[in-house]
Amino acid sequence: MTDTNAARTVVSFEDARSMAGTDLGQTAWREITQDMINTFADATDDHQWIHVDPERAKDGPFGAPIAHGFLTLSLIIPFWGELFDVTDVSTKLNYGLDKVRFTSPVQAGSRVRMHGTIREVEEVKGGGLHLVVDATFEVEGQERPAVVATFLARFYP
């Protein structure tokens, strides 16, 4: 389930050049369900009990099953699309990640959202723009974030 109350920043390619330092705000909240966790476990062949065995996980270190860190991180793609877009481009690339830390577990049934800030924008070969984005995944009701990452995106005219 996704709450769709987030604001989205949409700019032209030319205006994207001056976006360094822009706080994009937060996405809508998204629930991490046990079904999502199980599907991710199947896709990655990571069926560790702390993820997929709710009964056993109740007595485990987190008191409930937790999402895989990479499941939470994978939400960077839909979250990025909720926060930001560039018009009048031919190509949009998820270029990668520079730094990722899984700082707090996400229990099944929790809701997460991403806060994004464009740290840098630079021109790259081929006339494109390279964006460096500070992404923080927040868990509803928790002070400590679940994931802190540096996300890299590119746009080409």
Side-chain angles (χ1 to χ4, degrees):
M1 302 260 151
T2 303
D3 170 10
T4 57
N5 293 325
R8 184 176 192 205
T9 299
V10 180
V11 298
S12 69
F13 181 79
E14 195 57 40
D15 288 342
R17 295 177 187 279
S18 62
M19 296 296 293
T22 302
D23 183 339
L24 299 171
Q26 295 90 11
T27 65
W29 291 107
R30 183 178 293 237
E31 183 178 1
I32 304 297
T33 66
Q34 187 62 52
D35 284 343
M36 288 172 67
I37 294 169
N38 294 344
T39 300
F40 193 85
D42 289 342
T44 59
D45 200 22
D46 181 356
H47 294 94
Q48 188 179 33
W49 64 268
I50 63 171
H51 304 303
V52 298
D53 188 340
E55 285 306 310
R56 185 172 176 195
K58 284 180 190 176
D59 297 323
F62 308 109
I66 60 169
H68 305 72
F70 285 107
L71 166 57
T72 305
L73 179 62
S74 73
L75 295 175
I76 203 165
I77 302 309
F79 282 159
W80 176 238
E82 281 184 45
L83 287 180
F84 188 73
D85 197 15
V86 178
T87 61
D88 65 323
V89 295
S90 65
T91 307
K92 303 173 185 182
L93 292 175
N94 302 314
Y95 192 71
L97 300 160
D98 268 351
K99 182 178 180 182
V100 177
R101 296 292 181 265
F102 301 111
T103 55
S104 184
V106 177
Q107 290 185 347
S110 296
R111 295 191 334 154
V112 298
R113 68 180 177 186
M114 186 180 90
H115 179 262
T117 301
I118 299 174
R119 184 191 327 158
E120 299 173 27
V121 178
E122 59 186 41
E123 290 188 33
V124 292
K125 186 177 181 178
L129 294 177
H130 177 83
L131 279 67
V132 177
V133 180
D134 293 322
T136 303
F137 291 75
E138 303 167 349
V139 181
E140 190 174 38
Q142 284 185 204
E143 188 173 320
R144 188 175 174 102
V147 179
V148 178
T150 302
F151 174 64
L152 309 173
R154 288 194 174 177
F155 297 91
Y156 292 89

